[in-house]
Amino acid sequence: MPAVQTRHYRLPELASTGFEILQPFRGVLDPVEWESLQYLDWKSGGDTNFAVLASALGEDDPRGFWEHGRPDKDAVWTANAALAPTLREWVTSIGARFGRVRIIKLWPSTDVATVVSRHLHQDDNNRLNPEGEGWVVRAWLNLTHDPDSYMILREDRDDPASEHRVPLPYGAQFVVDTERLWHAAFHTGPRPRYAMIASLESGPALQSWMHERQASRLVRQAAPADEVEADPRGSASA
């Protein structure tokens, strides 16, 4: 967690573990909506490409909003969003203020140890976020069916005992305080994994949306400490 507890509103649902798994998405997802988008060669958490659906100025720009002197809120839709109406509706239906919205295209991982040592990272969601407003967290919607892949979440980067694993089947939905938790996805392949990631402001709208989709926290427990050895020299992606 941040060294100093700031005066932002935080969701009580995330207080214990920093994440919440929701019920799977019940609608229909058309691969055309993400396969037809313009992707950028932008690396974060592995061998990744990103299609930008919403950015600070509505441009095809994956950078943080602070590059424009703004917090990660009140994003502008890009040209990509017009090609993905279902995905855009998923974001707007939440009702919360949103910032960056992107589709991640993740190529298969080499092994879990590499993901842990090289790709676990924390996000910088709340730079320039005015105190007194809602803490920015991130929500995921998994677009492809990757049941053997999972998101690794750790409270302590170098402590496997603090790890949880979130499975990534088709339609998986979950919310993570990614500025608190170290995270990265282990993807088995053989095809790329696609998922939508949206920055969202903590508040009544997001809380209500999550409450309506609450599910049992069905996560795999952390691997034994001797199964995964993190390389302390590994760097975290931004």
Side-chain angles (χ1 to χ4, degrees), residues 5 11 22 55 58 95 164 186-187 201 219 230:
Q5 188 78 356
L11 295 172
L22 307 175
S55 64
H164 290 89
F186 171 67
H187 176 44
E201 182 181 43
V219 297

Side-chain angles (χ1 to χ4, degrees), residues 7-182:
R7 294 191 299 274
H8 293 91
Y9 176 78
R10 289 170 166 80
L11 295 172
E13 291 80 1
L14 304 183
S16 176
T17 62
F19 73 98
E20 182 77 16
I21 297 176
L22 307 175
Q23 295 175 8
F25 180 73
R26 301 302 183 187
V28 177
L29 298 171
D30 186 350
V32 171
E33 290 200 24
W34 58 86
E35 291 178 350
S36 62
L37 303 181
Q38 180 69 37
Y39 283 83
L40 304 174
D41 185 17
W42 185 268
K43 303 306 177 188
S44 177
D47 187 359
T48 57
N49 304 103
F50 284 89
V52 182
L53 268 65
S55 64
L57 302 178
E59 299 173 346
D60 199 16
D61 182 359
R63 295 178 301 165
F65 281 29
W66 60 81
E67 299 282 356
H68 304 282
R70 298 177 50 190
D72 196 2
K73 301 178 181 180
D74 302 320
V76 180
W77 294 110
T78 68
N80 270 332
L83 302 175
T86 305
L87 305 184
R88 177 171 174 165
E89 171 62 21
W90 183 84
V91 176
T92 58
S93 68
I94 298 171
R97 292 170 72 187
F98 62 90
R100 278 176 285 188
V101 180
R102 302 179 290 174
I103 306 298
I104 184 172
K105 179 181 182 180
L106 175 64
W107 295 92
S109 308
T110 52
D111 54 74
V112 175
T114 298
V115 172
V116 169
S117 65
R118 296 185 59 188
H119 302 310
L120 279 181
H121 64 284
Q122 294 171 309
D123 293 328
D124 192 358
N125 298 327
N126 290 281
R127 191 185 304 194
L128 304 184
N129 186 10
E131 294 206 16
E133 295 191 359
W135 188 251
V136 176
V137 297
R138 288 191 177 173
W140 268 260
L141 171 61
N142 212 60
L143 303 175
T144 45
H145 187 53
D146 310 296
D148 296 322
S149 302
Y150 49 86
M151 179 70 69
I152 300 170
L153 302 173
R154 286 190 181 185
E155 191 84 51
D156 184 329
R157 185 184 190 279
D158 299 320
D159 182 7
S162 70
E163 180 175 306
H164 290 89
R165 297 179 177 181
V166 180
L168 300 173
Y170 168 86
Q173 300 182 114
F174 52 98
V175 178
V176 181
D177 183 348
T178 58
E179 189 161 326
R180 166 181 168 181
L181 298 182
W182 295 84

Side-chain angles (χ1 to χ4, degrees), residues 211-231:
H211 179 74
E212 292 172 358
R213 292 159 180 79
Q214 283 182 342
S216 299
R217 182 168 284 124
L218 301 175
V219 297
R220 293 179 243 182
Q221 293 303 310
D226 59 354
E227 181 179 322
V228 178
E229 295 184 0
D231 182 350

